[in-house]
Amino acid sequence: MEIRKIRLNNVGRFTDLEVAFAPTEKHASKVTVFVGNNGAGKTTILKSLATSLSWLVGRIKTDNGSGSPIAEDIVNNSTSSSSIDIFVRSTGHPTEDKSEGFRWTLSRTRKGHPSKATSNLADVTKLADYFRLHIAIVDEKASVPIIAFYPVERSVLDIPLNIKKSGKPSDQLDGYDYSLSGRVDFSHFFEWFREREDSENEKGIPLSVMENLAKTVTPAQNHILSELTAVYLASRDPQLNAVRNAINAFMPDFNNLRVQRQPHLHMAVDKAGRTLNVNQLSQGEKTLMALIGDIARRLALMNPSLSNPLLGKGVVMIDEVDLHLHPQWQRRLIHQLTATFPHCQFILTTHSPLVISDTKDVLCYVLDDGELEERNGLYGLDANQVLLSVMDTDVRNSEVQARLDKLLELLQDKKLKAAKALFEELSADLPPGHIELTKAALLIRKLELRSA
């Protein structure tokens, strides 16, 4: 399943905005990125997508289920009503019109105003019925698409490991729980991980036993260790393996995520060969681990018949995808997303120039005052070029840049005395080895030699 277009009428700051999403004829990737200043409307687009898709999720989970309404406070102040139109394609659906796909409209009229718009949800019901009935009648292990929205408020504040017994077995459609509510709670990921690992250890050889055996076995007993290792690997939970593999693909220095019970119950991970309590990781490390783990968990739940659940399909929306991340991770983020989850469509927002310049074929939009502009040819640009040409931001402090420009102007005009005075002032303010001052020093030296 892929989102092809969305149209917003009188939603937030948008009077009439239509947006197409990758893949398109010009962009082979499945990644669309929005950039723009705070308040430009990036989050409004993602939340509108989540609101519209919540009706699909609601009707997949239950017959005639409901989704979220358009919030009244985002109806444009100058109008009485707003609407969100969405166009979705679902490859393999037997009744899909290949030219039209599935379209539905969600409308909202402000209280106290006459109704001018109506919702049309016939297609969302048709699409949801296909997924729901296919699972119930054709194949109970048939895949369903992940549909998830990770808002900017996401963070790992707690790592609860106490399992809340619900009395019902894990269900495939549990992958939709809290997926579009705008309040993703990573605590569900850690609780799910603990429960699955307990079940894994009950059915096979616990990891702690294997670790102790590896330390005590003698060379003559290696064949026994090899046989036990084979039994251990065969008993590993495929859903947990999907999560472990996803985290390791994103964070190569991190592996063997697990629950440890000594000296107290905690989540542990090996980082560069050293075992750490997950609570000891930075906020960026924890949030990225939980984000990737949660996507993998949902894919594992929703694709029970796939040998590699990470190959599942669907739509993932992440607001401020660079949140808490070191620039090194920002630079390879999109590549890692598409390599780890190759069949998922990603719709992202970012403030980082590094995110949008390191991957080919990404569809990038710049939002400015309610207007949308497509920007191409960003692959390979350095961060300064992206800041200037895409994000309309100076690469350095504007006052310093003005003084450096003035220094260059004085040198070009051969006003050596004034240039040397300004050079001394800048040298006192800027750190040693500043590249622009180093260039200026060479020019000053040339002028001095010519004067001599």
Side-chain angles (χ1 to χ4, degrees):
M1 190 194 88
E2 293 175 353
I3 304 171
R4 307 314 298 268
K5 290 182 183 179
I6 191 172
R7 185 171 184 177
L8 308 182
N9 285 281
N10 301 320
V11 176
R13 64 185 301 130
F14 301 115
T15 302
D16 186 7
L17 179 75
E18 183 172 284
V19 186
F21 299 96
T24 66
E25 291 183 0
K26 294 191 298 182
H27 303 88
S29 78
K30 295 186 176 184
V31 182
T32 304
V33 184
F34 294 92
V35 299
N37 293 328
N38 291 327
K42 304 184 300 297
T43 300
T44 298
I45 294 175
L46 262 60
K47 286 185 175 180
S48 297
L49 286 167
T51 298
S52 187
L53 291 170
S54 70
W55 289 82
L56 176 59
V57 169
R59 296 192 176 187
I60 290 176
K61 294 180 75 172
T62 60
D63 189 18
N64 291 322
S66 297
S68 302
I70 297 175
E72 185 170 358
D73 59 3
I74 71 166
V75 178
N76 193 293
N77 290 333
S78 62
T79 61
S80 60
S81 63
S82 65
S83 65
I84 303 171
D85 295 274
I86 193 169
F87 172 26
V88 171
R89 293 293 300 273
S90 180
T91 305
H93 192 290
T95 64
E96 179 183 16
D97 184 324
K98 299 303 180 184
S99 62
E100 293 296 326
F102 298 89
R103 298 174 182 266
W104 61 90
T105 301
L106 193 62
S107 301
R108 175 66 183 258
T109 300
R110 197 188 298 276
K111 291 179 181 178
H113 292 260
S115 178
K116 293 185 178 180
T118 57
S119 297
N120 184 345
L121 302 172
D123 269 15
V124 73
T125 301
K126 185 192 301 183
L127 183 57
D129 284 349
Y130 166 74
F131 289 121
R132 188 162 45 80
L133 296 177
H134 198 71
I135 294 171
I137 298 174
V138 180
D139 182 1
E140 64 179 12
K141 291 188 175 181
S143 295
V144 291
I146 181 177
I147 304 173
F149 170 46
Y150 296 92
V152 72
E153 296 84 4
R154 66 187 182 276
S155 62
V156 180
L157 301 177
D158 189 20
I159 302 178
L161 296 176
N162 294 320
I163 301 173
K164 301 172 183 176
K165 296 291 184 182
S166 62
K168 76 177 186 71
S170 179
D171 182 80
Q172 182 178 7
L173 297 185
D174 289 348
Y176 288 128
D177 288 351
Y178 307 105
S179 67
L180 293 172
S181 64
R183 54 183 184 90
V184 169
D185 186 353
F186 287 136
S187 65
H188 287 84
F189 164 68
F190 294 109
E191 291 172 358
W192 171 85
F193 194 99
R194 161 80 191 281
E195 185 174 13
R196 297 293 303 192
E197 193 184 70
D198 282 352
S199 176
E200 181 182 63
N201 289 334
E202 288 174 4
K203 296 175 182 178
I205 305 172
L207 175 62
S208 58
V209 172
M210 293 300 301
E211 289 176 335
N212 289 330
L213 280 173
K215 294 175 184 177
T216 59
V217 70
T218 65
Q221 297 171 321
N222 278 341
H223 67 286
I224 299 176
L225 180 61
S226 297
E227 292 177 7
L228 288 174
T229 299
V231 173
Y232 165 77
L233 292 175
S235 68
R236 296 295 84 186
D237 185 290
Q239 293 188 10
L240 285 182
N241 279 340
V243 170
R244 293 165 180 146
N245 292 338
I247 291 173
N248 187 241
F250 253 83
M251 309 165 75
D253 289 340
F254 293 75
N255 58 68
N256 198 15
L257 181 66
R258 62 199 182 278
V259 176
Q260 284 192 339
R261 288 147 182 87
Q262 298 296 331
H264 56 82
L265 189 67
H266 65 282
M267 183 77 78
V269 69
D270 294 339
K271 178 182 179 183
R274 180 186 174 198
T275 299
L276 296 174
N277 185 325
V278 170
N279 274 324
Q280 295 175 314
L281 303 180
S282 70
Q283 186 61 47
E285 290 171 327
K286 286 191 292 187
T287 300
L288 182 61
M289 180 180 293
L291 172 66
I292 301 309
D294 194 69
I295 295 173
R297 174 184 73 93
R298 294 180 189 276
L299 284 170
L301 285 168
M302 303 166 95
N303 298 276
S305 64
L306 290 184
S307 58
N308 182 4
L310 303 185
L311 298 180
K313 300 177 181 180
V315 181
V316 178
M317 298 161 282
I318 309 174
D319 201 5
E320 295 193 21
V321 69
D322 53 295
L323 190 68
H324 301 307
L325 297 186
H326 185 279
Q328 184 178 9
W329 283 354
Q330 293 177 22
R331 186 179 292 281
R332 59 189 180 93
L333 186 58
I334 289 179
H335 171 76
Q336 293 293 85
L337 282 172
T338 54
T340 308
F341 311 111
H343 296 156
C344 285
Q345 180 185 30
F346 288 95
I347 302 172
L348 317 170
T349 74
T350 186
H351 289 290
S352 170
L354 300 175
V355 168
I356 58 177
S357 63
D358 249 50
T359 307
K360 289 182 179 180
D361 298 326
V362 170
L363 174 54
C364 180
Y365 289 113
V366 178
L367 277 168
D368 183 22
D369 196 25
E371 298 295 325
L372 192 71
E373 179 187 0
E374 181 181 330
R375 298 299 298 269
N376 296 309
L378 303 179
Y379 177 66
L381 295 183
D382 64 39
N384 287 343
Q385 289 175 302
V386 176
L387 284 172
L388 285 170
S389 64
V390 179
M391 297 184 169
D392 194 25
T393 302
D394 292 333
V395 298
R396 62 168 58 91
N397 177 281
S398 58
E399 181 186 352
V400 172
Q401 185 63 56
R403 294 165 72 193
L404 289 170
D405 292 342
K406 179 63 176 177
L407 176 59
L408 180 59
E409 180 184 329
L410 292 172
L411 290 170
Q412 290 174 338
D413 293 341
K414 298 181 174 57
K415 296 179 180 179
L416 185 57
K417 184 177 180 180
K420 291 176 72 173
L422 181 54
F423 177 84
E424 293 300 325
E425 292 177 11
L426 284 166
S427 297
D429 292 342
L430 301 180
H434 192 286
I435 186 65
E436 299 299 332
L437 289 185
T438 301
K439 294 177 182 178
L442 292 173
L443 291 173
I444 289 172
R445 181 58 179 158
K446 284 183 179 181
L447 289 177
E448 289 175 333
L449 291 173
R450 288 175 183 174
S451 297

